[in-house]
Amino acid sequence: MKTWREWWRPLVLAFIALGAAGAAATVRPNILWITAEDICPNLGCYGDSYAVTPNLDRFAAQGVRYTHAFGITGVCAPNRSCLITGVFPSRLGSQNMRSTTVLPETVKCFTEYLRRAGYYCGNNAKTDYNFAVPKSAWDDCSRQAHWRRRAPGQPFFAVFNHEVTHESQIRVPEARFQTNTKRLTPAQRHDPAKAPLPPYHPDTPESRSDWAKYYDNITAMDYQVSDLLAELEKDGLAEDTIVFFFGDNGTGLPSCKKWIWDSGLRVPLIIRFPKKFQHLAPAGPGQTSDRLVSFVDFAPTVLSLCGVKVPGAMQGIPFLGEQAGAPRQYVHAIRDRMAERFDLVRVVRDARFQYHRNFLPHLSWSQFVSYTEEMPMMQSWRRLHKEGKLSGAAARYFTPCKPAEELYDMEKDPHQINNLAGDPAYARDQERLRAECARWMKETGDLGLLPEYEMQMRSRDSTPWEIAADPAKNPLAELLKAADLANRREIGALPDLVKYLENRDAALRWWGAQGLVALGAEARPAEEALNRALKDESPAVRVAAAEALGNLGRHDAALPILTDALQNEAPVIRLAALNVLDRFGAKAASALPAIRAAQSPGKDHLSDYVNRMVEYLPGQLEARISPKTKPPRP
């Protein structure tokens, strides 16, 4: 007869085995995000022979290298608002560079869901989300944030951001640059004479120096990433942690960063999966994935990897984990107000083609942005333009206006020099991508066709997210029709533009005025309607109508409206007026005293941009005004 121990021992062992199996099934990975600012895939592991990145090359040999990873735009803040929420900035109201939106109850930082699931979440240390960081987003958001601060055994999600590659570090004083790159050996320094200049940058000493420093900074960052990975290894966590390495937007050089060509959008993305989580990888160590992935996909992907349900408000598609969706056919990108300058571009990209829809084509690519103008390359490039010494692709950036549509074959034209829009051989692809652009804007509730002022006013009692889905406050289908009409820049569109100028909706009236601005002198038959629009209840419409009248030579009527706008309580209206006065050039001479007096006392980003314009615009205008017409200084 068996003793009770003999009866119970197999049962106890069975229960232990079941418990172990359950524990193994619920093992959750740590996630480490390593971000580097302002870089395209200019790494050795991506085939860049000028790059010196031995540590990241070794890391790529251990992980999966994505070849088609893209930001939402060419600059950090809107991208970071997308990364942390998993929704498009153009729906959240965070699409303008350094603006402030408010999160609705239905949208949260994805780290809040991780924390509820027991994860320790630390961010070291950049946020820059275009909204106030909720206290519930992070356990620690500081320069001291580290996985070592979590409870013993607690899974973690950690972000470490590397700023040495930021565009500002290319143009720092030489002593600071040498400090940043002190670990580089002489053999690792990049020779400017060998810098691989793209065809759209002029071949000048400044261009070569800036490109070489960009690569030197990448090598400095390569050392820093190696240090962080060594810490993970030292702590015995490498086999428990899925590590992401990626850039926060494209190359930190003029016409790359802040723009939405490939050089502003494409980023490196390398993900290393330890052995215990190798089943989650899309390929083996050292292999690549050509799947299209977008920043909007990153938040739901992390939740999917961690076994946390992806909330319905997220607009991205998880590309890893149990909740992974089907591969994308398209990625989408945006460009809205960029610092001091207004613009509006939407981009659709598939595996081969990239399509741009320029909604303000009458504005140049080369609008003066103070931060960009500090780069030595930009200064030499603009000087060559003024001297009439540019030709070919390098001259394109300074053309006075843009085409309404751009289409590039990325297989044949990786630098996006040859615009195929309008080419009959590519008509089918152009039509397909144009339709996809409109479909995506409607489906996601794009707020970009609302003037920024109108978006602010209409969301005062709710949030931009909520008004985006309200056809009364964001009549997107009609706004697309109005924008399409405005972008035709044809005299035959004038009667319908005047009708829009008299619409009940201020946003539609604004598009009517923009269409007349784009027509320039051909808008003469609409002069009477524009005169009436100078009294419009919306200051955004008044400013646009004033520009259209100024283009007709009616600066006597336009300038009082614009100088009055310089005193408007809304910084975005003051900024819009300053932009128009800049485009008027010498004709704005009489407004110089009002411009100098337009300094904004506010501490918000828009006020800062107003002050930047007030600082440099008088000098820009005075350079175009003859001595006889210069007004006296106060």
Side-chain angles (χ1 to χ4, degrees):
M1 176 180 281
K2 293 182 178 180
T3 67
W4 68 270
R5 284 193 173 93
E6 291 174 312
W7 281 105
W8 281 101
R9 190 167 186 272
L11 292 174
V12 170
L13 291 175
F15 276 115
I16 291 172
L18 283 171
T26 57
V27 168
R28 296 178 294 177
N30 303 316
I31 306 287
L32 172 60
W33 272 11
I34 305 173
T35 62
E37 300 197 31
D38 298 358
I39 65 166
C40 273
N42 296 121
L43 311 174
C45 56
Y46 277 90
D48 191 323
S49 60
Y50 190 59
V52 180
T53 51
N55 297 303
L56 282 167
D57 297 348
R58 184 164 47 252
F59 176 73
Q62 301 164 353
V64 178
R65 178 168 51 85
Y66 285 78
T67 60
H68 288 78
F70 298 91
I72 294 299
T73 188
V75 75
C76 58
N79 272 339
R80 289 174 181 269
S81 77
C82 181
L83 285 165
I84 196 63
T85 61
V87 303
F88 291 106
S90 48
R91 171 64 192 270
L92 196 60
S94 57
Q95 71 271 28
N96 295 295
M97 178 52 181
R98 295 254 157 73
S99 53
T100 302
T101 193
V102 178
L103 294 182
E105 187 60 34
T106 53
V107 175
K108 300 185 183 303
C109 297
F110 77 88
T111 51
E112 297 184 57
Y113 300 107
L114 289 176
R115 293 185 68 202
R116 291 176 189 174
Y119 272 76
Y120 177 88
C121 295
N123 179 47
N124 189 328
K126 189 168 182 177
T127 52
D128 216 3
Y129 301 148
N130 278 350
F131 56 80
V133 183
K135 292 182 179 179
S136 53
W138 299 102
D139 289 286
D140 190 358
C141 183
S142 70
R143 294 287 182 184
Q144 290 72 46
H146 203 287
W147 63 74
R148 292 171 177 167
R149 293 188 164 200
R150 76 196 194 285
Q154 186 179 12
F156 68 81
F157 171 77
V159 179
F160 288 83
N161 183 64
H162 294 83
E163 299 176 0
V164 72
T165 51
H166 188 268
E167 67 170 307
S168 61
Q169 302 308 298
I170 295 172
R171 53 176 171 75
V172 292
E174 185 62 20
R176 172 68 181 275
F177 177 75
Q178 292 300 326
T179 298
N180 287 347
T181 60
K182 63 183 178 182
R183 296 171 74 176
L184 274 65
T185 67
Q188 291 176 327
R189 300 272 174 186
H190 293 82
D191 182 356
K194 298 178 181 178
L197 296 184
Y200 48 80
H201 281 165
D203 191 347
T204 65
E206 293 86 353
S207 294
R208 291 190 168 277
S209 175
D210 286 353
W211 270 104
K213 288 183 174 181
Y214 163 74
Y215 275 93
D216 280 351
N217 287 341
I218 289 176
T219 303
M221 176 271 296
D222 185 74
Y223 275 105
Q224 295 174 355
V225 170
S226 178
D227 294 342
L228 189 60
L229 292 173
E231 287 184 25
L232 193 71
E233 191 76 39
K234 180 180 178 181
D235 290 354
L237 295 168
E239 290 304 312
D240 300 308
T241 306
I242 297 174
V243 182
F244 287 60
F245 170 83
F246 60 96
D248 73 341
N249 50 248
T251 303
L253 288 167
S255 79
C256 302
K257 184 178 178 180
K258 305 181 185 73
W259 277 100
I260 33 66
W261 289 301
D262 196 67
S263 58
L265 293 177
R266 190 195 288 259
V267 298
L269 170 62
I270 307 167
I271 306 178
R272 187 179 73 181
F273 301 82
K275 287 183 180 179
K276 70 170 63 175
F277 298 116
Q278 191 62 46
H279 63 283
L280 297 170
Q287 296 182 329
T288 62
S289 171
D290 62 359
R291 177 170 178 156
L292 290 168
V293 296
S294 164
F295 276 2
V296 76
D297 303 330
F298 281 39
T301 295
V302 170
L303 296 183
S304 178
L305 287 170
C306 296
V308 178
K309 181 176 174 56
V310 176
M314 286 191 176
Q315 296 177 308
I317 301 172
F319 56 87
L320 295 168
E322 292 184 357
Q323 300 171 75
R328 287 179 167 277
Q329 184 179 358
Y330 304 106
V331 293
H332 304 85
I334 65 173
R335 187 179 196 268
D336 293 75
R337 178 177 53 74
M338 194 57 64
E340 306 101 305
R341 299 298 183 171
F342 296 88
D343 205 354
L344 180 56
V345 188
R346 295 294 178 263
V347 173
V348 181
R349 171 72 184 263
D350 66 11
R352 179 175 176 181
F353 293 99
Q354 184 161 318
Y355 168 85
H356 292 211
R357 179 68 170 85
N358 293 310
F359 284 99
L360 296 175
H362 58 285
L363 299 180
S364 172
W365 283 302
S366 60
Q367 293 188 83
F368 190 103
V369 175
S370 59
Y371 203 74
T372 303
E373 299 296 327
E374 295 182 39
M375 193 69 71
M377 176 202 296
M378 189 68 243
Q379 294 169 8
S380 67
W381 196 4
R382 194 171 290 281
R383 183 179 67 251
L384 289 173
H385 164 64
K386 290 180 179 179
E387 294 172 355
K389 295 180 180 179
L390 293 175
S391 61
R396 179 184 67 168
Y397 190 61
F398 292 94
T399 53
C401 57
K402 307 185 288 286
E405 295 180 291
E406 301 171 61
L407 179 68
Y408 301 101
D409 184 337
M410 300 304 297
E411 291 180 1
K412 299 178 180 178
D413 182 22
H415 290 297
Q416 298 174 283
I417 302 303
N418 183 25
N419 182 12
L420 301 172
D423 186 330
Y426 295 89
R428 184 173 296 179
D429 288 301
Q430 183 176 345
E431 291 169 7
R432 171 176 61 86
L433 294 168
R434 178 194 296 137
E436 169 59 20
C437 182
R439 183 207 65 78
W440 172 79
M441 292 178 72
K442 293 175 183 177
E443 181 181 280
T444 59
D446 197 320
L447 289 159
L449 296 183
L450 291 176
E452 190 171 359
Y453 173 81
E454 286 297 322
M455 183 184 75
Q456 292 173 352
M457 294 300 104
R458 296 177 190 206
S459 61
R460 280 181 299 183
D461 298 325
S462 56
T463 66
W465 171 272
E466 290 161 320
I467 70 160
D470 183 349
K473 294 185 176 180
N474 185 29
L476 193 48
E478 192 62 32
L479 287 167
L480 277 166
K481 290 180 184 178
D484 286 342
L485 185 72
N487 295 164
R488 281 168 51 188
R489 289 181 283 183
E490 297 173 357
I491 190 67
L494 194 146
D496 289 328
L497 291 172
V498 171
K499 288 181 182 178
Y500 274 120
L501 191 61
E502 298 168 347
N503 195 280
R504 292 177 59 186
D505 189 297
L508 292 170
R509 296 200 300 275
W510 185 84
W511 276 108
Q514 287 299 320
L516 296 171
V517 168
L519 279 174
E522 290 187 314
R524 179 72 60 189
E527 184 173 351
E528 184 178 344
L530 287 168
N531 276 319
R532 291 195 296 271
L534 295 181
K535 299 178 182 179
D536 196 280
E537 64 182 16
S538 168
V541 176
R542 295 198 298 269
V543 168
E547 181 171 15
L549 279 170
N551 291 345
L552 300 178
R554 289 293 317 283
H555 296 93
D556 60 319
L559 290 175
I561 300 300
L562 296 173
T563 54
D564 180 68
L566 293 179
Q567 303 302 316
N568 193 282
E569 64 180 0
V572 71
I573 293 299
R574 301 199 295 275
L575 189 61
L578 288 163
N579 272 259
V580 174
L581 290 165
D582 186 24
R583 290 193 285 272
F584 280 178
K587 300 295 184 181
S590 64
L592 275 169
I595 293 171
R596 293 191 180 102
Q599 197 80 13
S600 177
K603 301 297 183 183
D604 58 290
H605 290 301
L606 274 167
S607 293
D608 176 56
Y609 291 139
V610 168
N611 293 339
R612 292 190 198 184
M613 290 286 285
V614 170
E615 180 180 349
Y616 69 73
L617 184 52
Q620 295 291 313
L621 295 181
E622 287 179 334
R624 305 176 222 170
I625 300 170
S626 69
K628 293 181 180 180
T629 59
K630 282 186 181 180
R633 282 184 173 271

